[in-house]
């Protein structure tokens, strides 16, 4: 396997949408390279590079919203990722509804299962790795939506849907305090 395809084996978090607002202009991008870093305090990592229109918005504003779409939004999420906010108003193009953030200026996205408002927590990995470490300041789920069917990007236009959940809590003897 080519080394530039290894990410398909060790896949990060689900496909997400990242919204930003800078100088009054909102933007949304698709992101398939993200992961949880830790849980106390909570940190989320996202790869967003200078090739992304959102990069400069995030560098300058220091904030974004991570919106967690469900599998029924997959085609729209892929289409959002195929164009640049420098050329297209993605909110109009894809009929997205921006909802004011509760703590930050970046908009939340209606219709997503969850919206996590985040502030940049540490910028030391942005320039060398295009890696933003983000700290959530507010999280909200949509109570009208059932538990989500999230999806993961595996490269080359292929995605995997989450399958059934298995409950092994009784085996977590060393980590019961986390349950």
């Amino acid at each position: 396997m080519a080394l530039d395809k290894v990410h398909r084996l060790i896949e990060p978090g689900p496909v997400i949408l990242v919204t930003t607002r800078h100088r009054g202009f909102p933007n949304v991008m698709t992101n398939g390279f993200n992961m949880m870093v830790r849980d106390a305090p909570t940190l989320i990592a996202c790869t967003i590079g200078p090739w992304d229109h959102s990069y400069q918005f995030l560098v300058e504003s220091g904030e974004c919203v991570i919106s967690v779409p469900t599998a029924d939004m997959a085609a729209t999420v892929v289409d959002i990722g195929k164009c640049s906010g420098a050329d297209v108003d993605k909110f109009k193009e894809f009929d997205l509804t921006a909802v004011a953030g509760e703590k930050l200026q970046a908009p939340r996205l209606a219709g997503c299962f969850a919206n996590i408002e985040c502030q940049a927590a540490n910028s030391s990995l942005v320039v060398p790795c295009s890696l933003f470490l983000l700290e959530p300041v507010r999280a909200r789920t949509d109570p009208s939506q059932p538990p989500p069917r999230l999806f993961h990007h595996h490269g080359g236009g292929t995605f995997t849907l989450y399958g059934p959940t298995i409950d092994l809590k009784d085996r977590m003897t060393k980590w019961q305090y986390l349950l």
Side-chain angles (χ1 to χ4, degrees), residues 107-134:
R108 295 178 290 132
L109 286 178
C112 286
F113 174 74
N115 284 277
I116 307 164
E117 296 182 48
C118 298
Q119 291 181 324
N122 181 319
S123 61
S124 64
L125 297 173
V126 172
V127 172
C129 302
S130 299
L131 187 69
F132 285 85
L133 293 176
L134 304 167

PDB file of all heavy atoms in Angstrom, residues 107-134:
ATOM      1  N   PRO A 107     -21.248  30.353  12.935  1.00  0.00           N
ATOM      2  CA  PRO A 107     -22.617  29.838  12.968  1.00  0.00           C
ATOM      3  C   PRO A 107     -22.691  28.335  13.195  1.00  0.00           C
ATOM      4  O   PRO A 107     -21.813  27.581  12.791  1.00  0.00           O
ATOM      5  CB  PRO A 107     -23.151  30.178  11.575  1.00  0.00           C
ATOM      6  CG  PRO A 107     -21.945  30.193  10.712  1.00  0.00           C
ATOM      7  CD  PRO A 107     -20.819  30.694  11.581  1.00  0.00           C
ATOM      8  N   ARG A 108     -23.780  27.929  13.855  1.00  0.00           N
ATOM      9  CA  ARG A 108     -24.126  26.521  13.954  1.00  0.00           C
ATOM     10  C   ARG A 108     -24.931  26.167  12.710  1.00  0.00           C
ATOM     11  O   ARG A 108     -25.438  27.048  12.025  1.00  0.00           O
ATOM     12  CB  ARG A 108     -24.960  26.251  15.205  1.00  0.00           C
ATOM     13  CG  ARG A 108     -24.188  26.507  16.490  1.00  0.00           C
ATOM     14  CD  ARG A 108     -25.019  26.285  17.746  1.00  0.00           C
ATOM     15  NE  ARG A 108     -26.035  27.313  17.881  1.00  0.00           N
ATOM     16  CZ  ARG A 108     -27.322  27.071  18.148  1.00  0.00           C
ATOM     17  NH1 ARG A 108     -27.763  25.839  18.315  1.00  0.00           N
ATOM     18  NH2 ARG A 108     -28.188  28.057  18.262  1.00  0.00           N
ATOM     19  N   LEU A 109     -25.066  24.874  12.410  1.00  0.00           N
ATOM     20  CA  LEU A 109     -25.836  24.430  11.248  1.00  0.00           C
ATOM     21  C   LEU A 109     -27.089  23.685  11.689  1.00  0.00           C
ATOM     22  O   LEU A 109     -27.004  22.654  12.360  1.00  0.00           O
ATOM     23  CB  LEU A 109     -25.004  23.503  10.352  1.00  0.00           C
ATOM     24  CG  LEU A 109     -23.930  24.169   9.520  1.00  0.00           C
ATOM     25  CD1 LEU A 109     -23.149  23.119   8.729  1.00  0.00           C
ATOM     26  CD2 LEU A 109     -24.525  25.192   8.575  1.00  0.00           C
ATOM     27  N   ALA A 110     -28.240  24.227  11.295  1.00  0.00           N
ATOM     28  CA  ALA A 110     -29.496  23.532  11.553  1.00  0.00           C
ATOM     29  C   ALA A 110     -29.501  22.250  10.735  1.00  0.00           C
ATOM     30  O   ALA A 110     -28.920  22.188   9.661  1.00  0.00           O
ATOM     31  CB  ALA A 110     -30.676  24.425  11.146  1.00  0.00           C
ATOM     32  N   GLY A 111     -30.147  21.224  11.252  1.00  0.00           N
ATOM     33  CA  GLY A 111     -30.252  19.962  10.530  1.00  0.00           C
ATOM     34  C   GLY A 111     -29.156  18.969  10.859  1.00  0.00           C
ATOM     35  O   GLY A 111     -29.268  17.793  10.519  1.00  0.00           O
ATOM     36  N   CYS A 112     -28.101  19.422  11.520  1.00  0.00           N
ATOM     37  CA  CYS A 112     -27.045  18.500  11.948  1.00  0.00           C
ATOM     38  C   CYS A 112     -27.421  17.924  13.309  1.00  0.00           C
ATOM     39  O   CYS A 112     -28.115  18.565  14.097  1.00  0.00           O
ATOM     40  CB  CYS A 112     -25.701  19.217  12.033  1.00  0.00           C
ATOM     41  SG  CYS A 112     -24.983  19.571  10.420  1.00  0.00           S
ATOM     42  N   PHE A 113     -26.941  16.730  13.582  1.00  0.00           N
ATOM     43  CA  PHE A 113     -27.250  16.097  14.862  1.00  0.00           C
ATOM     44  C   PHE A 113     -26.660  16.890  16.025  1.00  0.00           C
ATOM     45  O   PHE A 113     -27.288  17.042  17.068  1.00  0.00           O
ATOM     46  CB  PHE A 113     -26.736  14.661  14.902  1.00  0.00           C
ATOM     47  CG  PHE A 113     -26.904  14.036  16.255  1.00  0.00           C
ATOM     48  CD1 PHE A 113     -28.157  13.642  16.692  1.00  0.00           C
ATOM     49  CD2 PHE A 113     -25.825  13.881  17.099  1.00  0.00           C
ATOM     50  CE1 PHE A 113     -28.334  13.105  17.956  1.00  0.00           C
ATOM     51  CE2 PHE A 113     -25.992  13.325  18.367  1.00  0.00           C
ATOM     52  CZ  PHE A 113     -27.247  12.939  18.792  1.00  0.00           C
ATOM     53  N   ALA A 114     -25.433  17.394  15.846  1.00  0.00           N
ATOM     54  CA  ALA A 114     -24.771  18.123  16.921  1.00  0.00           C
ATOM     55  C   ALA A 114     -23.996  19.302  16.358  1.00  0.00           C
ATOM     56  O   ALA A 114     -23.564  19.284  15.206  1.00  0.00           O
ATOM     57  CB  ALA A 114     -23.820  17.192  17.681  1.00  0.00           C
ATOM     58  N   ASN A 115     -23.840  20.322  17.195  1.00  0.00           N
ATOM     59  CA  ASN A 115     -23.013  21.485  16.890  1.00  0.00           C
ATOM     60  C   ASN A 115     -22.150  21.745  18.112  1.00  0.00           C
ATOM     61  O   ASN A 115     -22.670  21.871  19.229  1.00  0.00           O
ATOM     62  CB  ASN A 115     -23.877  22.709  16.595  1.00  0.00           C
ATOM     63  CG  ASN A 115     -24.487  22.655  15.216  1.00  0.00           C
ATOM     64  OD1 ASN A 115     -23.847  23.022  14.246  1.00  0.00           O
ATOM     65  ND2 ASN A 115     -25.730  22.191  15.129  1.00  0.00           N
ATOM     66  N   ILE A 116     -20.844  21.823  17.897  1.00  0.00           N
ATOM     67  CA  ILE A 116     -19.893  22.017  18.984  1.00  0.00           C
ATOM     68  C   ILE A 116     -19.133  23.311  18.709  1.00  0.00           C
ATOM     69  O   ILE A 116     -18.329  23.382  17.775  1.00  0.00           O
ATOM     70  CB  ILE A 116     -18.908  20.831  19.083  1.00  0.00           C
ATOM     71  CG1 ILE A 116     -19.671  19.505  19.168  1.00  0.00           C
ATOM     72  CG2 ILE A 116     -17.970  21.016  20.270  1.00  0.00           C
ATOM     73  CD1 ILE A 116     -18.811  18.284  18.872  1.00  0.00           C
ATOM     74  N   GLU A 117     -19.402  24.331  19.505  1.00  0.00           N
ATOM     75  CA  GLU A 117     -18.697  25.605  19.348  1.00  0.00           C
ATOM     76  C   GLU A 117     -17.312  25.459  19.972  1.00  0.00           C
ATOM     77  O   GLU A 117     -17.187  25.003  21.111  1.00  0.00           O
ATOM     78  CB  GLU A 117     -19.478  26.727  20.017  1.00  0.00           C
ATOM     79  CG  GLU A 117     -20.834  26.970  19.376  1.00  0.00           C
ATOM     80  CD  GLU A 117     -21.603  28.112  20.014  1.00  0.00           C
ATOM     81  OE1 GLU A 117     -21.017  29.200  20.207  1.00  0.00           O
ATOM     82  OE2 GLU A 117     -22.792  27.903  20.319  1.00  0.00           O
ATOM     83  N   CYS A 118     -16.275  25.839  19.207  1.00  0.00           N
ATOM     84  CA  CYS A 118     -14.895  25.615  19.644  1.00  0.00           C
ATOM     85  C   CYS A 118     -14.040  26.860  19.496  1.00  0.00           C
ATOM     86  O   CYS A 118     -14.202  27.627  18.543  1.00  0.00           O
ATOM     87  CB  CYS A 118     -14.250  24.515  18.804  1.00  0.00           C
ATOM     88  SG  CYS A 118     -15.018  22.898  18.933  1.00  0.00           S
ATOM     89  N   GLN A 119     -13.094  26.988  20.404  1.00  0.00           N
ATOM     90  CA  GLN A 119     -12.065  28.011  20.301  1.00  0.00           C
ATOM     91  C   GLN A 119     -10.732  27.314  20.075  1.00  0.00           C
ATOM     92  O   GLN A 119     -10.505  26.222  20.600  1.00  0.00           O
ATOM     93  CB  GLN A 119     -11.972  28.831  21.585  1.00  0.00           C
ATOM     94  CG  GLN A 119     -13.167  29.713  21.808  1.00  0.00           C
ATOM     95  CD  GLN A 119     -13.033  30.540  23.074  1.00  0.00           C
ATOM     96  OE1 GLN A 119     -12.496  30.074  24.077  1.00  0.00           O
ATOM     97  NE2 GLN A 119     -13.532  31.759  23.038  1.00  0.00           N
ATOM     98  N   ALA A 120      -9.871  27.968  19.293  1.00  0.00           N
ATOM     99  CA  ALA A 120      -8.527  27.429  19.094  1.00  0.00           C
ATOM    100  C   ALA A 120      -7.833  27.402  20.457  1.00  0.00           C
ATOM    101  O   ALA A 120      -7.815  28.399  21.171  1.00  0.00           O
ATOM    102  CB  ALA A 120      -7.755  28.276  18.097  1.00  0.00           C
ATOM    103  N   ALA A 121      -7.298  26.248  20.812  1.00  0.00           N
ATOM    104  CA  ALA A 121      -6.698  26.080  22.137  1.00  0.00           C
ATOM    105  C   ALA A 121      -5.183  26.215  22.116  1.00  0.00           C
ATOM    106  O   ALA A 121      -4.577  26.608  23.103  1.00  0.00           O
ATOM    107  CB  ALA A 121      -7.077  24.714  22.715  1.00  0.00           C
ATOM    108  N   ASN A 122      -4.581  25.869  20.991  1.00  0.00           N
ATOM    109  CA  ASN A 122      -3.129  25.869  20.887  1.00  0.00           C
ATOM    110  C   ASN A 122      -2.794  25.958  19.411  1.00  0.00           C
ATOM    111  O   ASN A 122      -3.260  25.140  18.623  1.00  0.00           O
ATOM    112  CB  ASN A 122      -2.583  24.575  21.495  1.00  0.00           C
ATOM    113  CG  ASN A 122      -1.078  24.494  21.457  1.00  0.00           C
ATOM    114  OD1 ASN A 122      -0.434  24.871  20.480  1.00  0.00           O
ATOM    115  ND2 ASN A 122      -0.501  23.975  22.529  1.00  0.00           N
ATOM    116  N   SER A 123      -2.007  26.941  19.026  1.00  0.00           N
ATOM    117  CA  SER A 123      -1.710  27.152  17.606  1.00  0.00           C
ATOM    118  C   SER A 123      -0.333  26.642  17.194  1.00  0.00           C
ATOM    119  O   SER A 123       0.075  26.830  16.053  1.00  0.00           O
ATOM    120  CB  SER A 123      -1.839  28.634  17.261  1.00  0.00           C
ATOM    121  OG  SER A 123      -0.920  29.388  18.020  1.00  0.00           O
ATOM    122  N   SER A 124       0.371  25.959  18.080  1.00  0.00           N
ATOM    123  CA  SER A 124       1.753  25.563  17.775  1.00  0.00           C
ATOM    124  C   SER A 124       1.865  24.541  16.641  1.00  0.00           C
ATOM    125  O   SER A 124       2.917  24.429  16.021  1.00  0.00           O
ATOM    126  CB  SER A 124       2.444  25.017  19.030  1.00  0.00           C
ATOM    127  OG  SER A 124       1.813  23.827  19.473  1.00  0.00           O
ATOM    128  N   LEU A 125       0.806  23.807  16.340  1.00  0.00           N
ATOM    129  CA  LEU A 125       0.863  22.804  15.276  1.00  0.00           C
ATOM    130  C   LEU A 125       0.191  23.262  13.977  1.00  0.00           C
ATOM    131  O   LEU A 125       0.158  22.523  13.000  1.00  0.00           O
ATOM    132  CB  LEU A 125       0.211  21.507  15.755  1.00  0.00           C
ATOM    133  CG  LEU A 125       0.906  20.827  16.935  1.00  0.00           C
ATOM    134  CD1 LEU A 125       0.085  19.659  17.445  1.00  0.00           C
ATOM    135  CD2 LEU A 125       2.298  20.380  16.550  1.00  0.00           C
ATOM    136  N   VAL A 126      -0.325  24.493  13.971  1.00  0.00           N
ATOM    137  CA  VAL A 126      -1.032  24.984  12.783  1.00  0.00           C
ATOM    138  C   VAL A 126      -0.090  25.130  11.601  1.00  0.00           C
ATOM    139  O   VAL A 126      -0.344  24.592  10.519  1.00  0.00           O
ATOM    140  CB  VAL A 126      -1.771  26.304  13.079  1.00  0.00           C
ATOM    141  CG1 VAL A 126      -2.338  26.905  11.804  1.00  0.00           C
ATOM    142  CG2 VAL A 126      -2.885  26.073  14.099  1.00  0.00           C
ATOM    143  N   VAL A 127       0.995  25.843  11.747  1.00  0.00           N
ATOM    144  CA  VAL A 127       1.896  26.087  10.609  1.00  0.00           C
ATOM    145  C   VAL A 127       2.643  24.820  10.184  1.00  0.00           C
ATOM    146  O   VAL A 127       2.608  24.459   9.011  1.00  0.00           O
ATOM    147  CB  VAL A 127       2.867  27.252  10.901  1.00  0.00           C
ATOM    148  CG1 VAL A 127       3.909  27.373   9.803  1.00  0.00           C
ATOM    149  CG2 VAL A 127       2.082  28.555  11.036  1.00  0.00           C
ATOM    150  N   PRO A 128       3.258  24.089  11.101  1.00  0.00           N
ATOM    151  CA  PRO A 128       4.017  22.927  10.607  1.00  0.00           C
ATOM    152  C   PRO A 128       3.157  21.750  10.148  1.00  0.00           C
ATOM    153  O   PRO A 128       3.575  20.975   9.296  1.00  0.00           O
ATOM    154  CB  PRO A 128       4.897  22.524  11.796  1.00  0.00           C
ATOM    155  CG  PRO A 128       4.171  23.023  12.999  1.00  0.00           C
ATOM    156  CD  PRO A 128       3.466  24.279  12.543  1.00  0.00           C
ATOM    157  N   CYS A 129       1.948  21.605  10.716  1.00  0.00           N
ATOM    158  CA  CYS A 129       1.150  20.405  10.444  1.00  0.00           C
ATOM    159  C   CYS A 129      -0.261  20.689   9.945  1.00  0.00           C
ATOM    160  O   CYS A 129      -1.006  19.739   9.672  1.00  0.00           O
ATOM    161  CB  CYS A 129       1.043  19.555  11.708  1.00  0.00           C
ATOM    162  SG  CYS A 129       2.617  19.046  12.398  1.00  0.00           S
ATOM    163  N   SER A 130      -0.667  21.946   9.852  1.00  0.00           N
ATOM    164  CA  SER A 130      -2.052  22.311   9.509  1.00  0.00           C
ATOM    165  C   SER A 130      -3.036  21.659  10.472  1.00  0.00           C
ATOM    166  O   SER A 130      -4.137  21.290  10.103  1.00  0.00           O
ATOM    167  CB  SER A 130      -2.392  21.924   8.069  1.00  0.00           C
ATOM    168  OG  SER A 130      -1.539  22.593   7.171  1.00  0.00           O
ATOM    169  N   LEU A 131      -2.628  21.524  11.733  1.00  0.00           N
ATOM    170  CA  LEU A 131      -3.434  20.856  12.750  1.00  0.00           C
ATOM    171  C   LEU A 131      -3.903  21.866  13.785  1.00  0.00           C
ATOM    172  O   LEU A 131      -3.099  22.507  14.459  1.00  0.00           O
ATOM    173  CB  LEU A 131      -2.632  19.750  13.432  1.00  0.00           C
ATOM    174  CG  LEU A 131      -3.407  18.859  14.388  1.00  0.00           C
ATOM    175  CD1 LEU A 131      -4.385  17.981  13.614  1.00  0.00           C
ATOM    176  CD2 LEU A 131      -2.452  17.990  15.196  1.00  0.00           C
ATOM    177  N   PHE A 132      -5.221  22.016  13.878  1.00  0.00           N
ATOM    178  CA  PHE A 132      -5.816  22.903  14.863  1.00  0.00           C
ATOM    179  C   PHE A 132      -6.261  22.083  16.057  1.00  0.00           C
ATOM    180  O   PHE A 132      -6.959  21.082  15.902  1.00  0.00           O
ATOM    181  CB  PHE A 132      -7.034  23.622  14.271  1.00  0.00           C
ATOM    182  CG  PHE A 132      -6.686  24.715  13.312  1.00  0.00           C
ATOM    183  CD1 PHE A 132      -6.452  24.425  11.982  1.00  0.00           C
ATOM    184  CD2 PHE A 132      -6.583  26.032  13.743  1.00  0.00           C
ATOM    185  CE1 PHE A 132      -6.121  25.430  11.085  1.00  0.00           C
ATOM    186  CE2 PHE A 132      -6.268  27.045  12.853  1.00  0.00           C
ATOM    187  CZ  PHE A 132      -6.034  26.749  11.523  1.00  0.00           C
ATOM    188  N   LEU A 133      -5.854  22.500  17.240  1.00  0.00           N
ATOM    189  CA  LEU A 133      -6.347  21.907  18.480  1.00  0.00           C
ATOM    190  C   LEU A 133      -7.448  22.827  18.984  1.00  0.00           C
ATOM    191  O   LEU A 133      -7.219  24.009  19.232  1.00  0.00           O
ATOM    192  CB  LEU A 133      -5.233  21.773  19.511  1.00  0.00           C
ATOM    193  CG  LEU A 133      -4.140  20.773  19.139  1.00  0.00           C
ATOM    194  CD1 LEU A 133      -3.033  20.784  20.181  1.00  0.00           C
ATOM    195  CD2 LEU A 133      -4.711  19.377  18.985  1.00  0.00           C
ATOM    196  N   LEU A 134      -8.650  22.275  19.106  1.00  0.00           N
ATOM    197  CA  LEU A 134      -9.835  23.059  19.399  1.00  0.00           C
ATOM    198  C   LEU A 134     -10.448  22.634  20.720  1.00  0.00           C
ATOM    199  O   LEU A 134     -10.570  21.430  20.999  1.00  0.00           O
ATOM    200  CB  LEU A 134     -10.857  22.876  18.279  1.00  0.00           C
ATOM    201  CG  LEU A 134     -10.352  23.213  16.874  1.00  0.00           C
ATOM    202  CD1 LEU A 134     -11.316  22.698  15.821  1.00  0.00           C
ATOM    203  CD2 LEU A 134     -10.129  24.710  16.744  1.00  0.00           C
TER     204      LEU A 134
END
